[in-house]
Amino acid sequence: MDMSTENEIQRLTVLLEEYNYQYYVLDNPSVPDSEYDRIFQQLQTLEKSHPEYLNPNSPTQKVGGLALTKFEQVKHQLPMLSLDNVFSEQALSDFIQRVTDRFDEQTAFCIEPKLDGLAASLIYEKGLLVQAATRGDGKIGEKVTENVKTIANVPLKLRGDNIPALLEVRGEVFMPKAGFNKLNEGLINAGEKPFVNPRNAAAGSLRQLDSKVAASRPLAFYCYGVGVFEGQLANTQFERIQQLKGWGLPISAEIKRLIGKENCQDFFDDMQLKRANLSYEIDGVVYKVDDISLQERLGFVARAPRWATAYKFPAEEAVTVVENVEFQVGRTGAITPVAKLKPVFVGGVTVSNATLHNKDEIQRLGILIGDQVVVRRAGDVIPQVARVLFDKRDPDSTREIVFPMVCPVCQSSVERIEGEATIRCSGGLYCQAQCKQAIKHFASRKALDIDGLGNKIVELLVDHNMIKHPSDLFSLTIDQLSSLPRMGEVSAKKLINSLQISKQTTLARFLYSLGIREVGEATANNLANYYKSIEAVKNAGIEDLKAVADVGEIVAKHVYYFFRQEHNVEVLTKLIDAGIHWPEIKAAEQEKQPLIGQTLVITGSFSSMSRSDIKNALQALGAKVAGSVSKNTDTVVAGEAAGSKLIKAQELGINIMDEAALLTMLEK
Ligand code: IWH
C-alpha cells in the first residue's frame, strides 16, 4: 500500500511537471485546465494524507510558507551588470558598427524585447531551485527564494538531460498586464492604494516578506542569460537560451538571432508596433553579440558589457503643466474637455493636448488647471493625463475646471443626460464644430472617400462660409476652391474631380457617411444588406430596425430619430439630387465587385502578371489599392521577395494573399 502511494505521488508529480512545462514554457497545453486541476487535487489529497512523502519541490508547493522578518543579503558570484542604452537608429547603428569592426565577419546578434520588470538570479543545484535573489546594486542583492518559488512559471526542478550541476539563471521578474489590472481592481475594491504600474507591482510583490502574499500576486519570469555554471553549455547566447527552455525554464517567444543593421532596426520597429498587443510591458529591445567567445573578446567597460546594448523606446510618460482646459465639440455634439499642456516630449512626439474625457474622469483625477500632471502617450493612442502630482500643487496658482453652460462654438444650449457623464451641444448641424466634423466624416476613407478633401480644407471651407452641409461640397467651383489659402488651380481641379468620382458609391458607404450616431461601418453594411434602398431605411420603424443584424434598441432609436429630423432629410435629399448614387443591391451586382470597400496593398514581384495589371484587376473588382500597409489595410497581396510591407502585415495580423491565391480569386 505504502509503496503504491509513493508511486502514485511520483506519477502525479511527473504528470503535473510535464503539464506545467507544456503550459508555461511551450505555451502549448495538452490537457484542459480542468484536467490539470483534477490531477493537482489528487496529488494534494495524497500528500495531505501522507505527509511523509511530501516533496518540497512538488508542483503543489507554490503557495508560499512562513513570513520573514527581513531579507538576507546575498553576494552575486558574478556581478549582475547593467546595460548601456541607446535611443536612436544612429546610435544602434554605431553600436553594431563598433562591434562588427572588431571582427572579420558580419556579427550575429541575439535580440530580445527588454521586459519592464526586475532582474533576478535563480540558482539551480543538481536541477533543484535552491536560491533566488534580486539584482540589488549588482554586487549584493536580497534573498527572495521563498517568493520566487511561488512564481507560477518558475520550475522548482529542471527537466531533461545534461543539466549542469550548478546553473545560475538570470532573468526578469515581471507582472503581465492582465494580472496587474486584476490586482489593482482588487486593491481598489478593498479600499487600498493601487500600484502605479506593473513594474512597481512586480517590485512590491517580489519584496513581500510574507511569501503567501507573494504567491497571491500574478508574477511571471523570463530568463535572458546565464551567470555562474558548472558543466557544458552551448557557445552562443541564442543556443544557450534554447537550452534553458529545454530544461523547463520560460523564455520570451520573441527572441531572435539576426545579422545586419537593417534587420536589427527592423526588429526594434516591429517590437514597437507589437508592444501594445504584448501581454507584458516592455521598454525597449536588447542586442547581445551572439557568440560567447566574441563576447569575451569584447569584455567590459565600467559596469556594462561592450557586447550588449539596450535600445530604449521613447518614454511613454512625462511630467508637464496643465495651462488651461478647453472644450471641444465632436461630430455628435459631445463636448469634451481637453487639457492644454505646456508642450512636452513623450512617446516620441511633442504633446500639447490631452483629452480629459468627461466630468467623471476629471473627478477621478482630481485635476485643477495649473496642476503638474503625468502625461501618458502609448503607441498611437491619444495622449492621456495619467495622474496629478498632488504634492506639487500650489493652491495659489490652480483653479477649478468650469464646464460651459452653452456650446463654446455656437452658443446653443447644452444637454445633460441623467446618468451620463457626457454633455452635448444641442445645435446639431447649425453648430460649426459639428458641421465640420460631419463633413470630415462624410469625406473620410470609409465613407465617400473623397481624395484631397482633408480636415484642413474642410475647416477652411466652413470657416469661409463656402459650405454648411455635405451636399454643398458638390456645388463648389474651381474658382471658389482656388481662392483658398495654399490651394492652387491644379489642386482645385483635382478636388473637383475626386468629388465627381466620389458620387459613385455604395449604399453601405452612403449610410455610414451620414454620421448617424452609433452607426459604424459594420452597422451601415447590415442596414444596407437588409433594406437594400435608402427609402426603406428611412421609413423603417424602431421594431423593424431591431430585426437587422447587430442592431439593438439604442442603435434602432438613433437611426429612427435621425430620419425624423427635418434638416437631416433635407441634406439627404440634396445629396441624392447632387448625383450621389450606388448600384442597386442585387446578388449579381455584389458578385461583380466583391472587393468594394476593401483596401489592398501589392508588394513583391509576380511571375504571371505585372503589378500594374494586378492593380487594375483589383480595382475593377471594387478594391482600393494603397501604397503602404497600415491598420486600415484589409489584405496584402505578396509576391516573391516581399519585404518590410509583408513583415508589417504579419505583425498587424493582416490577411496575406500569395500569387497563387490571387490568381484563383481573379479567375472566380
Ligand atoms: C483550474 N494551468 O497552471 C485551473 N492546462 O496544462 C488549473 C490550471 C490553470 C488554470 C485554471 C488557468 C492553468 C493549466 C495547465 C497547466 C498549468 C496551469 C494545463
Side-chain angles (χ1 to χ4, degrees):
M1 165 64 196
D2 262 357
M3 189 57 206
S4 70
T5 304
E6 197 178 358
N7 281 346
E8 184 61 0
I9 285 183
Q10 176 62 16
R11 186 182 74 83
L12 297 173
T13 301
V14 169
L15 200 53
L16 288 177
E17 281 170 353
E18 188 57 25
Y19 290 160
N20 276 333
Y21 175 65
Q22 290 165 348
Y23 184 86
Y24 287 112
V25 181
L26 302 184
D27 195 15
N28 186 18
S30 62
V31 292
D33 295 347
S34 57
E35 173 63 8
Y36 179 89
D37 199 42
R38 195 179 65 82
I39 307 288
F40 190 96
Q41 309 261 357
Q42 269 185 16
L43 178 58
Q44 215 170 25
T45 308
L46 277 183
E47 286 174 341
K48 270 207 187 111
S49 53
H50 299 272
E52 68 275 20
Y53 296 137
L54 174 63
N55 182 330
N57 298 310
S58 161
T60 60
Q61 300 305 296
K62 292 210 135 235
V63 290
L66 294 181
L68 304 173
T69 49
K70 69 185 199 45
F71 293 115
E72 269 178 64
Q73 297 206 319
V74 274
K75 186 171 184 298
H76 298 299
Q77 265 180 272
L78 282 176
M80 291 185 78
L81 303 162
S82 49
L83 288 174
D84 255 348
N85 291 320
V86 297
F87 291 94
S88 68
E89 179 160 5
Q90 185 59 49
L92 174 69
S93 160
D94 291 348
F95 164 74
I96 292 168
Q97 192 62 48
R98 207 162 52 238
V99 167
T100 310
D101 283 350
R102 283 280 305 269
F103 311 113
D104 294 339
E105 287 166 50
Q106 285 262 51
T107 315
F109 290 88
C110 182
I111 310 185
E112 68 202 89
K114 187 175 193 306
L115 270 70
D116 204 0
L118 302 94
S121 147
L122 276 53
I123 294 178
Y124 287 87
E125 282 175 6
K126 299 202 181 90
L128 298 182
L129 178 59
V130 295
Q131 178 185 292
T134 62
R135 176 177 178 277
D137 64 2
K139 293 195 184 79
I140 292 175
E142 286 176 320
K143 198 188 269 189
V144 288
T145 316
E146 293 316 307
N147 290 346
V148 168
K149 279 186 170 175
T150 71
I151 299 177
N153 71 346
V154 168
L156 300 176
K157 190 174 148 215
L158 300 181
R159 63 193 294 290
D161 302 327
N162 303 322
I163 296 168
L166 169 70
L167 180 68
E168 181 193 1
V169 178
R170 301 258 173 102
E172 198 86 352
V173 173
F174 61 98
M175 193 176 286
K177 292 174 191 170
F180 167 76
N181 291 332
K182 220 168 134 197
L183 171 62
N184 265 0
E185 234 170 76
L187 289 173
I188 292 167
N189 286 340
E192 289 174 52
K193 226 178 119 197
F195 287 102
V196 166
N197 56 45
R199 198 195 119 82
N200 287 5
S205 304
L206 190 59
R207 298 195 67 262
Q208 279 289 335
L209 287 166
D210 184 348
S211 59
K212 284 209 168 64
V213 175
S216 74
R217 300 287 175 78
L219 292 173
F221 176 78
Y222 274 155
C223 33
Y224 55 63
V226 174
V228 289
F229 65 95
E230 280 164 21
Q232 282 285 300
L233 288 180
N235 46 29
T236 66
Q237 167 73 13
F238 187 80
E239 286 157 338
R240 281 188 177 182
I241 296 293
Q242 304 309 318
Q243 276 184 309
L244 296 181
K245 181 176 180 179
W247 289 325
L249 289 155
I251 64 169
S252 159
E254 311 294 333
I255 299 180
K256 279 203 175 107
R257 178 157 54 186
L258 295 169
I259 292 176
K261 288 175 184 172
E262 204 173 319
N263 288 326
C264 286
Q265 178 64 38
D266 281 354
F267 185 93
F268 180 85
D269 297 342
D270 290 346
M271 231 48 231
Q272 214 165 359
L273 281 179
K274 263 197 186 177
R275 187 179 187 185
N277 296 327
L278 289 177
S279 60
Y280 44 85
E281 294 213 325
I282 61 172
D283 57 354
V285 171
V286 179
Y287 299 78
K288 292 176 185 163
V289 170
D290 191 43
D291 187 321
I292 306 288
S293 63
L294 298 189
Q295 287 184 3
E296 283 163 3
R297 280 166 66 189
L298 285 159
F300 303 87
V301 260
R303 292 179 47 232
R306 264 202 214 92
W307 44 264
T309 199
Y311 186 178
K312 293 281 205 68
F313 297 132
E316 287 187 321
E317 289 192 348
V319 173
T320 188
V321 177
V322 178
E323 295 183 324
N324 199 4
V325 170
E326 288 178 4
F327 293 86
Q328 252 171 27
V329 185
R331 177 166 63 80
T332 58
I335 298 178
T336 308
V338 177
K340 298 288 166 178
L341 307 168
K342 181 158 180 270
V344 62
F345 191 74
V346 53
V349 301
T350 300
V351 166
S352 42
N353 296 310
T355 177
L356 293 174
H357 300 285
N358 55 42
K359 251 194 172 126
D360 288 357
E361 173 74 355
I362 287 175
Q363 204 164 39
R364 189 186 70 78
L365 288 167
I367 191 172
L368 299 178
I369 296 168
D371 267 336
Q372 290 200 43
V373 294
V374 174
V375 175
R376 187 172 167 77
R377 181 186 175 273
D380 287 337
V381 179
I382 46 173
Q384 313 277 333
V385 173
R387 57 191 179 275
V388 174
L389 301 179
F390 291 108
D391 310 351
K392 305 232 168 125
R393 177 177 286 171
D394 169 5
D396 293 336
S397 55
T398 50
R399 62 193 158 90
E400 252 188 72
I401 299 165
V402 182
F403 273 67
M405 303 302 289
V406 295
C407 170
V409 175
C410 72
Q411 278 74 49
S412 294
S413 63
V414 163
E415 287 170 1
R416 285 159 216 275
I417 293 168
E418 196 65 45
E420 264 188 42
T422 311
I423 60 170
R424 273 173 212 285
C425 160
S426 63
L429 291 180
Y430 165 77
C431 176
Q432 281 220 335
Q434 290 189 53
C435 170
K436 281 178 185 173
Q437 298 303 328
I439 296 171
K440 287 176 193 172
H441 175 78
F442 180 79
S444 65
R445 205 184 67 89
K446 292 180 173 169
L448 283 234
D449 194 15
I450 307 175
D451 256 0
L453 190 65
N455 292 350
K456 285 263 155 58
I457 299 190
V458 173
E459 308 239 343
L460 281 173
L461 289 168
V462 176
D463 289 340
H464 284 72
N465 293 320
M466 289 183 185
I467 55 172
K468 275 212 174 69
H469 302 294
S471 54
D472 300 335
L473 285 167
F474 299 101
S475 28
L476 287 167
T477 63
I478 294 179
D479 281 352
Q480 269 181 313
L481 285 174
S482 5
S483 74
L484 290 174
R486 275 170 307 175
M487 182 78 131
E489 204 181 301
V490 176
S491 353
K493 276 188 179 152
K494 268 197 187 155
L495 180 48
I496 296 279
N497 188 42
S498 29
L499 279 163
Q500 198 58 31
I501 291 171
S502 74
K503 288 183 189 171
Q504 151 88 47
T505 184
T506 63
L507 177 57
R509 277 174 176 266
F510 183 65
L511 278 169
Y512 174 73
S513 79
L514 296 175
I516 305 168
R517 268 177 71 189
E518 304 290 336
V519 175
E521 210 189 350
T523 306
N525 248 317
N526 294 342
L527 288 169
N529 288 334
Y530 186 89
Y531 289 107
K532 306 203 188 325
S533 83
I534 191 74
E535 281 305 311
V537 183
K538 199 173 113 186
N539 296 329
I542 293 177
E543 285 312 308
D544 186 24
L545 283 160
K546 278 158 73 177
V548 179
D550 292 331
V551 172
E553 181 84 18
I554 294 176
V555 180
K557 281 188 171 164
H558 281 304
V559 176
Y560 179 79
Y561 287 113
F562 180 90
F563 291 106
R564 297 295 153 312
Q565 279 180 283
E566 214 171 301
H567 66 257
N568 287 337
V569 177
E570 215 172 284
V571 170
L572 182 78
T573 311
K574 282 189 185 160
L575 286 169
I576 309 268
D577 289 348
I580 292 192
H581 63 285
W582 50 86
E584 207 181 308
I585 301 184
K586 288 185 293 198
E589 284 287 345
Q590 285 217 321
E591 267 166 28
K592 265 193 208 160
Q593 294 218 309
L595 299 182
I596 218 145
Q598 294 207 30
T599 301
L600 282 77
V601 172
I602 306 170
T603 182
S605 55
F606 298 83
S607 53
S608 55
M609 282 171 93
S610 75
R611 279 179 55 158
S612 68
D613 284 347
I614 295 173
K615 185 172 173 181
N616 289 337
L618 292 173
Q619 282 172 337
L621 293 175
K624 174 167 175 168
V625 178
S628 61
V629 177
S630 76
K631 57 180 189 299
N632 295 327
T633 311
D634 294 296
T635 300
V636 168
V637 182
E640 278 303 303
S644 63
K645 284 180 193 171
L646 178 58
I647 292 170
K648 191 162 175 195
Q650 286 163 339
E651 302 295 14
L652 292 172
I654 289 168
N655 183 31
I656 293 161
M657 187 184 274
D658 63 9
E659 182 162 357
L662 172 74
L663 293 175
T664 314
M665 185 190 73
L666 293 179
E667 264 165 37
K668 267 202 218 152

